[in-house]
Amino acid sequence: MAAAVSTALWATRYSALLLASSAHLRFPFGPARTRQHLIRRFRPFTAMAAASTSTSSLPDAAEKVTSPYGSWKSPITADVVSSSGKKLGGLAVAGDGRLVWIETRPDEGGRAVLVKESASMEEKPMDIIPPEFASRTLAQEYGGGDFAVLDDTVIFSNYKDQRLYKLTIGSSAPIPITPDYGETLVCFADGSYDPHFNRYLTVMEDHRKGSLNNPSTIIASIDLNAINIDEPKELVIGNDFYAYPRVDPNGKRMAWIEWSHPNMPWDKAELWVGYFSENGDLSNRICVAGGDPSIVESPTEPKWSPKGELFFVTDRGSGFWNLYKWDEKKNEVVAIYSLDAEFTKPLWVFGISSYDFVWKDGDSSKIICTYRQNGSSYLGILDYGTNWFSLLDIHLTDIGNLVSCGSCLYVEGASAAHPLSIVKVTLDVNQSNATKSSVLWSSSPDATKYDSYFSSPEVIEFPTEHPGQNAYAYFYPPSSPAYKASVDEKPPLLLQSHGGPTSETSSGLDLKIQYWTSRGWAFVDVNYGGSYGRAYRERLLGQWGIVDVNDCCSCAKFLVESGKVDGERLCVTGGSAGGYTTLASLVFKETFKAGASLYGVADLSLLRAETHKFESHYVDNLVGDEKAYLERSPINHVDKFNCPVVPPDQARTIHKALKDKGLPVALVEYEGEQHGFRKAENIKFTLEQEMVFFARLVGHFEVADPIIPIKIDNFDN
């Protein structure tokens, strides 16, 4: 997910990193050791290890150097990880059939850049917005749906002022089309063109008309013919949230999604269709799905086919998001393809695109779609006229957004051996099979040169504390072509709790994970309760801080009992909601010896009081009554504290309490960051300090990299 529950303090100018350990640890270097002494001890091992890490002359297995787990030298450095941290922010096809996308660049301070595919694969993609612009909306805190394309025109939300800008690709500078409100008080997202009235339809979040944490939200219309920059026109109003305003190809109807408090869009939502009058207003409206109180569903992703048929995804009946179609004449919803699998994902960000239409010579009866089942993603073509479905064989096992363009399609995704990429897939003449696929863009094009160090994930299923309920995870054993450990040693484990609660981790190549495993750590990425399908998601309702914590601890214990890891060297980490799970695991359980919580949260009551509109009722659904808020807030149980990283105010409070208690603890604050680390230097520093912190406190080994550790209170003099 997009790190749901830890953004109550987004208004601050810092992200915080707080590291701490439990009181009963055995310290390998002793509390009296100074930081300078530790640095000197690291250096001899660094020099020794450097000679055996060249990827061009790796030793045979029989020649591997025997060295303790965690001490191995690896070419997958923190610099490599931070430089590979590019993210994607949506896909669209321009009028010439070439792809436009957003990539977020850590080496440019996390700037979100609009990029267009070049005319040939040999040429580099081109940036289509000037350096002083960034395409990123702050709507609903997590953004998404930052831009839209029609022919050679792009409309995008600019990060600095949150205004919408229009430009002609390659021939004009961005021109604002929304007023200058002086501050970022009005945000726009998830827009689409209405060429029939020459206007732009978009979700508008207006903080001028409510409190900072309770803005008004509408679907607005922006006249693209206007000479002056006018106030956007209200088109749909009255509910708490809107998404996916989409106009049919005939210009007669618009579909959209809406929902209201206390629901999140994956709990209960409604799909509506409105009919345009001659002046472009909506004269009549029909609730297509979600209005029947006897049916629990969360429709999403409405799309009009080239023929003007309305398709969407919903989870009625089975509890899994499957494809459906609206029969307008009968006003009925018809299942198109049913499978116990997820054909979309929770709407944490705007603009998710999990399916699209393919057509040839006017035939538009085929849908290209992706679904997720048993931990893997699949890509297929569905002929909804005959109910024929065929999987496409491409190398991606973790698939995100996709868009179609005539005889080809563009898919974003990854696999265990390939980093996040955009893959261009060419279809055969019948548009039934893939004839060619090529990587158009990669978040880390040089990653494959480290493949001899990659650890391949193993899908594990483990029992939880609830009989008959299992949970799932990806386990990565230590892996190096240059090193091995002694046969009587088991590796330390770093368990990651993802930034849920309703997100789902995947097996796509993550160089951050490989950073750990190539140095001799075992790593496990847990899909705790809340991750997949309505039934699994709802395991977390009223149980946040219990189910997720128990699942993470059960996973660690399972790996210990399976003989895969050292039970005395279990560590935990997580960001955002995963940061809260990390804190709660260290406060309320004794499974882990140390941990790092990145931009997490420790006070659930403060989170509820200060969080933004999108999640203002979500925490109540996850936590429950006032007693639960008190009992499950780690900040109220400092006497039990073991580890942590939270927003600044809470981080400072916890840091002081742990320091006063005499526990080893370190706090780092990053100026200029918001929720999450986007800058390369901060990504690098955080990763290195996590590594050296764990090594010093629970490792029983010396880190091979030349890292200067930060001062640990109650550990360093």
Side-chain angles (χ1 to χ4, degrees):
M1 107 179 159
V5 295
S6 55
T7 56
L9 303 180
W10 261 47
T12 61
R13 294 169 54 245
Y14 298 82
S15 278
L17 166 64
L18 178 61
L19 303 166
S21 67
S22 57
H24 56 275
L25 298 179
R26 295 172 294 172
F27 305 124
F29 303 126
R33 303 286 189 183
T34 65
R35 178 172 59 177
Q36 289 75 22
H37 178 74
L38 289 166
I39 295 170
R40 287 197 297 270
R41 290 198 60 181
F42 291 156
R43 283 172 180 161
F45 189 88
T46 301
M48 178 275 292
S52 59
T53 59
S54 171
T55 57
S56 61
S57 58
L58 296 173
D60 296 333
E63 298 175 345
K64 285 186 177 183
V65 175
T66 300
S67 188
Y69 286 119
S71 68
W72 303 348
K73 186 75 174 177
S74 169
I76 306 175
T77 64
D79 281 311
V80 170
V81 176
S82 63
S83 65
S84 69
K86 291 181 180 179
K87 307 293 184 184
L88 289 171
L91 310 174
V93 178
D96 58 5
R98 286 148 60 186
L99 189 70
V100 177
W101 68 91
I102 290 177
E103 61 181 61
T104 302
R105 299 171 179 170
D107 58 353
E108 294 185 29
R111 176 174 169 249
V113 185
L114 272 168
V115 182
K116 185 181 180 184
E117 177 186 4
S118 61
S120 68
M121 293 292 290
E122 290 72 29
E123 299 177 19
K124 291 180 61 176
M126 66 174 182
D127 294 359
I128 60 176
I129 56 174
E132 62 270 24
F133 287 86
S135 181
R136 178 181 165 203
T137 178
L138 297 177
Q140 221 161 261
E141 294 297 323
Y142 302 116
D146 308 88
F147 76 103
V149 180
L150 179 65
D151 297 328
D152 62 350
T153 301
V154 177
I155 292 177
F156 70 96
S157 175
N158 184 44
Y159 174 63
K160 185 176 181 179
D161 56 15
Q162 289 299 291
R163 300 175 73 183
L164 288 178
Y165 286 77
K166 179 177 71 172
L167 67 81
T168 301
I169 298 174
S171 61
S172 70
I175 300 171
I177 61 171
T178 55
D180 182 358
Y181 297 105
E183 300 179 65
T184 57
L185 294 175
V186 180
C187 307
F188 302 91
D190 207 11
S192 62
Y193 288 87
D194 179 4
H196 311 283
F197 290 95
N198 196 25
R199 59 184 178 175
Y200 191 70
L201 307 180
T202 180
V203 176
M204 176 177 170
E205 183 179 277
D206 192 344
H207 292 260
R208 300 170 301 166
K209 299 181 179 181
S211 66
L212 182 63
N213 295 330
N214 189 32
S216 66
T217 305
I218 66 171
I219 296 177
S221 168
I222 299 169
D223 185 359
L224 298 179
N225 290 322
I227 298 175
N228 299 317
I229 300 177
D230 299 321
E231 185 72 18
K233 179 182 178 181
E234 294 179 344
L235 191 61
V236 182
I237 62 174
N239 215 329
D240 293 317
F241 302 99
Y242 297 95
Y244 290 108
R246 301 294 186 264
V247 178
D248 82 84
N250 298 317
K252 298 179 179 179
R253 301 158 294 177
M254 180 181 77
W256 70 89
I257 297 293
E258 62 180 61
W259 68 98
S260 59
H261 288 315
N263 297 306
M264 298 300 283
W266 49 85
D267 296 326
K268 185 171 176 59
E270 296 175 351
L271 168 61
W272 285 78
V273 169
Y275 293 83
F276 292 129
S277 63
E278 290 184 359
N279 66 356
D281 292 334
L282 293 174
S283 59
N284 186 30
R285 307 180 188 192
I286 296 175
C287 185
V288 172
D292 186 341
S294 67
I295 300 176
V296 178
E297 63 178 325
S298 51
T300 185
E301 281 202 67
K303 289 186 179 182
W304 298 96
S305 76
K307 293 181 179 179
E309 307 159 299
L310 180 61
F311 290 78
F312 60 100
V313 179
T314 192
D315 60 346
R316 60 169 57 191
S318 70
F320 290 99
W321 277 308
N322 283 188
L323 286 163
Y324 285 78
K325 177 184 175 183
W326 178 46
D327 186 327
E328 185 176 11
K329 291 182 179 180
K330 298 180 180 179
N331 192 22
E332 292 179 352
V333 170
V334 180
I336 297 301
Y337 193 74
S338 300
L339 193 67
D340 285 350
E342 298 278 67
F343 280 77
T344 189
K345 52 191 175 184
L347 204 160
W348 281 106
V349 298
F350 290 107
I352 295 170
S353 179
S354 303
Y355 72 99
D356 205 351
F357 303 97
V358 292
W359 66 93
K360 177 185 178 183
D361 300 329
D363 178 14
S364 60
S365 63
K366 293 178 181 177
I367 292 175
I368 183 75
C369 56
T370 180
Y371 66 84
R372 191 159 183 83
Q373 186 179 53
N374 298 327
S376 293
S377 293
Y378 300 89
L379 182 69
I381 294 182
L382 169 66
D383 187 325
Y384 55 86
T386 62
N387 205 36
W388 168 88
F389 188 87
S390 176
L391 290 176
L392 297 180
D393 185 16
I394 62 174
H395 68 271
L396 303 177
T397 58
D398 175 34
I399 297 173
N401 293 317
L402 61 84
V403 291
S404 173
C405 178
S407 62
C408 71
L409 56 131
Y410 297 91
V411 184
E412 69 173 57
S415 72
H418 297 85
L420 177 65
S421 306
I422 299 175
V423 175
K424 186 174 184 178
V425 181
T426 303
L427 302 176
D428 63 13
V429 293
N430 296 318
Q431 296 182 319
S432 301
N433 294 291
T435 60
K436 180 183 177 182
S437 65
S438 54
V439 176
L440 174 63
W441 174 91
S442 173
S443 62
S444 180
D446 297 328
T448 54
K449 72 182 181 182
Y450 307 113
D451 59 3
S452 63
Y453 283 82
F454 290 169
S455 175
S456 297
E458 170 191 347
V459 179
I460 61 171
E461 181 177 356
F462 58 90
T464 69
E465 293 195 2
H466 296 275
Q469 286 187 345
N470 289 351
Y472 308 87
Y474 295 100
F475 175 70
Y476 298 79
S479 177
S480 173
Y483 294 93
K484 63 181 179 179
S486 62
V487 294
D488 59 347
E489 184 187 7
K490 291 183 173 62
L493 173 72
L494 182 58
L495 180 145
Q496 178 169 275
S497 57
H498 63 67
T502 59
S503 183
E504 181 185 1
T505 192
S506 70
S507 60
L509 179 64
D510 184 342
L511 289 182
K512 184 183 72 173
I513 294 176
Q514 304 300 330
Y515 173 86
W516 293 91
T517 57
S518 64
R519 283 165 173 74
W521 280 75
F523 194 103
V524 66
D525 210 357
V526 183
N527 271 322
Y528 52 81
S531 299
Y532 176 81
R534 181 176 286 272
Y536 203 66
R537 278 195 301 275
E538 292 183 350
R539 281 184 59 201
L540 210 59
L541 294 180
Q543 297 293 306
W544 191 38
I546 297 177
V547 165
D548 50 323
V549 169
N550 287 342
D551 285 358
C552 287
C553 293
S554 294
C555 180
K557 292 175 182 177
F558 174 80
L559 292 171
V560 172
E561 293 168 358
S562 302
K564 294 180 181 292
V565 300
D566 184 349
E568 295 300 314
R569 294 189 289 173
L570 304 178
C571 300
V572 61
T573 188
S576 187
Y580 166 72
T581 301
T582 295
L583 294 178
S585 297
L586 288 151
V587 171
F588 303 123
K589 298 288 186 176
E590 296 184 356
T591 304
F592 301 101
K593 307 301 181 183
S597 175
L598 315 178
Y599 44 90
V601 67
D603 188 338
L604 295 175
S605 295
L606 183 61
L607 173 66
R608 176 177 57 177
E610 298 189 359
T611 196
H612 49 88
K613 178 184 176 182
F614 180 56
E615 295 174 355
S616 57
H617 292 265
Y618 185 44
V619 184
D620 287 338
N621 296 339
L622 292 174
V623 179
D625 58 22
E626 294 298 325
K627 182 181 178 182
Y629 271 92
L630 179 67
E631 291 178 345
R632 293 188 217 158
S633 293
I635 203 167
N636 297 327
H637 303 275
V638 174
D639 58 319
K640 301 177 182 178
F641 238 109
N642 292 335
C643 155
V645 178
V646 291
D649 292 341
Q650 298 180 47
R652 295 176 190 130
T653 301
I654 293 174
H655 174 258
K656 183 179 185 302
L658 293 176
K659 182 178 178 181
D660 292 346
K661 190 179 179 182
L663 291 177
V665 60
L667 173 65
V668 179
E669 297 179 4
Y670 299 117
E671 186 172 3
E673 292 277 24
Q674 289 183 316
H675 189 66
F677 306 140
R678 290 179 170 83
K679 297 180 180 180
E681 62 270 25
N682 295 340
I683 295 170
K684 174 189 176 183
F685 186 82
T686 300
L687 190 57
E688 289 183 334
Q689 293 305 322
E690 278 189 88
M691 172 66 72
V692 76
F693 180 88
F694 290 146
R696 295 175 69 188
L697 295 182
V698 304
H700 308 310
F701 58 82
E702 297 176 3
V703 175
D705 302 273
I707 301 169
I708 299 177
I710 56 174
K711 183 179 183 294
I712 301 176
D713 295 313
N714 300 321
F715 186 78
D716 296 324
N717 289 339

